[in-house]
Amino acid sequence: MSIVYWSDAQRGQIWQAWLAQVAPDIDMYLWPETGDPDKVRYLVTWEIPDNLLTRFPHLEVIFSVGAGADQFTANQVPHGINVVRMIEPGLMDDMAAYITFSVISLHRGMPRYLRQQQQQQWLKHEAIAASRCRIGLLGFGNLGQASAQVLTTLGYPCSGWSRTQKHIEAVTSYFGDDQLADFLSSCDILVCLLPLTDLTRGLLNRDLFKQLPKGACLVHAGRGQQLNHQDLLDALDSGQISHAIIDVTDPEPLQADHPFWTHPSIWLTPHIASETHAETSVKVLLDNIRRHQQGLTMVGLVDMKRGY
Ligand code: NDP
Ligand code: OXD
């Protein structure tokens, strides 16, 4: 039985060395090496190669190297093959840190202070307490919950919006389309951590922005296609949104003349909010392979019909 890995080579080498020590029954190959294709049961990748089942006739599971699996379309995944996405502590910690950094920067007025510095202006503004700055996690799964855990510790009131109800201490759960408006009206800082699906594509648009309190901020670390760029620019111009921190765009990178690059009320980061860590993720991979071998449900199993 073997795994083929097709992604960042450095991480692949770390995984290969660790698995050779801890799970010598598993052969791991780094693409373009595949060993005997008949023995390949697991493919770890960001993209699905063409002619998948001709290459690996006995493939059983495709693991995404990332938290998202929207890059795999349902018609690329042959019937009967499971898709599993990455849920691992390194990625969760990084995202919680990025969201916390963004929230604190916005709450403490850092965009305004950076502009003041450029104008050599020494001017203090009133600081409201964290307890009065309400954070809404749009998409309240693994990464949203990891972020809320840190934010509540810092005193920020948090709420989450998801498809199904959640029961997390100190966090208000809103769920389903019927509760979206109530959720949005309670967000001083809206953080998008939704997966990209047919239902979330284009969701960050004019209609949604106008349901936020005037002057709210946006942190977007979900997927680029969820955000309508012109609607965000209009919301910034009108003051409906006061500042946006954007980690994901469509396309990535944006074209050189795109207004986001130079907009005074946008901070842009190049899809770096979080990444799969080699050392922690390989343990999760091995645990999932063992689960699969024992007929147990794997952690992060994707429902391809639902899209995440
Ligand atoms: P999860 O699947 O754990 O969480 C997704 C959340 O979104 C769930 O709470 C889910 O609700 C909710 N959701 C999905 N569709 C809807 C909908 N139509 N209506 C309401 N709620 C919905 O994913 P993760 O938290 O692990 O990751 C989230 C996303 O973050 C990834 O898919 C990826 O796009 C992005 N990401 C970005 C990175 C970056 O560096 N910028 C890095 C890693 C991930 P429910 O729980 O009820 O199903
Ligand atoms: C991921 C990402 O999905 O990096 O892991 O966006």
Side-chain angles (χ1 to χ4, degrees):
M1 185 279 286
S2 63
I3 311 176
V4 169
Y5 170 94
W6 182 23
S7 187
D8 174 74
Q10 205 183 350
R11 179 172 51 214
Q13 281 154 11
I14 295 172
W15 282 18
Q16 205 175 30
W18 190 82
L19 285 172
Q21 274 196 345
V22 175
D25 56 310
I26 301 176
D27 293 323
M28 175 174 163
Y29 295 93
L30 305 187
W31 187 277
E33 304 272 309
T34 64
D36 177 354
D38 277 336
K39 292 194 177 159
V40 176
R41 298 285 180 277
Y42 305 103
L43 173 67
V44 189
T45 185
W46 184 251
E47 285 170 65
I48 298 189
D50 50 13
N51 304 321
L52 186 65
L53 285 188
T54 315
R55 290 174 195 270
F56 308 120
H58 304 296
L59 188 71
E60 294 179 19
V61 184
I62 299 170
F63 290 100
S64 169
V65 285
D70 54 282
Q71 70 279 21
F72 305 149
T73 57
N75 55 13
Q76 281 181 305
V77 178
H79 182 70
I81 298 210
N82 288 308
V83 173
V84 177
R85 62 191 198 81
M86 192 54 81
I87 300 179
E88 66 96 8
L91 210 139
M92 284 159 63
D93 288 350
D94 272 5
M95 184 58 85
Y98 181 92
I99 300 302
T100 304
F101 157 81
S102 301
V103 163
I104 294 177
S105 300
L106 294 168
H107 160 228
R108 298 299 299 269
M110 287 304 150
R112 174 145 75 164
Y113 287 120
L114 286 181
R115 280 198 296 271
Q116 286 188 190
Q117 182 186 349
Q118 284 151 10
Q119 293 154 11
Q120 300 194 336
Q121 210 178 15
W122 186 270
L123 185 62
K124 295 183 189 182
H125 301 280
E126 189 200 355
I128 62 160
S131 60
R132 288 177 49 216
C133 180
R134 299 163 298 170
I135 317 301
L137 286 310
L138 185 73
F140 197 47
N142 288 285
L143 300 178
Q145 290 175 29
S147 305
Q149 202 175 5
V150 180
L151 293 169
T152 50
T153 309
L154 293 171
Y156 292 100
C158 289
S159 57
W161 182 70
S162 43
R163 195 178 43 86
T164 56
Q165 187 170 17
K166 308 288 177 220
H167 301 277
I168 309 284
E169 206 188 329
V171 180
T172 310
S173 166
Y174 293 87
F175 58 101
D177 292 345
D178 294 350
Q179 297 189 4
L180 181 58
D182 284 347
F183 165 77
L184 292 170
S185 68
S186 72
C187 297
D188 298 313
I189 299 177
L190 177 71
V191 176
C192 179
L193 281 172
L194 281 167
L196 180 65
T197 67
D198 289 345
L199 295 175
T200 67
R201 186 171 287 106
L203 188 72
L204 297 176
N205 61 23
R206 179 185 313 262
D207 281 350
L208 181 141
F209 297 147
K210 72 179 186 214
Q211 298 175 66
L212 293 167
K214 180 123 182 132
C217 295
L218 172 70
V219 180
H220 182 30
R223 282 290 183 260
Q225 287 180 41
Q226 290 158 344
L227 175 65
N228 182 311
H229 293 189
Q230 189 55 51
D231 288 359
L232 175 62
L233 292 168
D234 293 345
L236 288 165
D237 278 355
S238 70
Q240 177 58 22
I241 292 192
S242 58
H243 195 91
I245 300 182
I246 308 287
D247 185 56
V248 286
T249 60
D250 178 36
E252 289 181 358
L254 293 170
Q255 54 275 26
D257 59 352
H258 194 286
F260 282 10
W261 286 113
T262 50
H263 198 290
S265 301
I266 293 180
W267 286 357
L268 202 55
T269 53
H271 200 143
I272 48 79
S274 79
E275 246 179 38
T276 298
H277 288 213
E279 290 76 8
T280 38
S281 60
V282 68
K283 296 181 183 156
V284 171
L285 176 80
L286 179 60
D287 179 57
N288 262 335
I289 290 177
R290 295 301 186 219
R291 281 171 178 270
H292 183 249
Q293 288 172 329
Q294 291 161 30
L296 301 173
T297 305
M298 290 174 284
V299 178
L301 190 62
V302 174
D303 177 340
M304 290 303 288
K305 282 210 189 89
R306 203 174 59 185
Y308 69 101

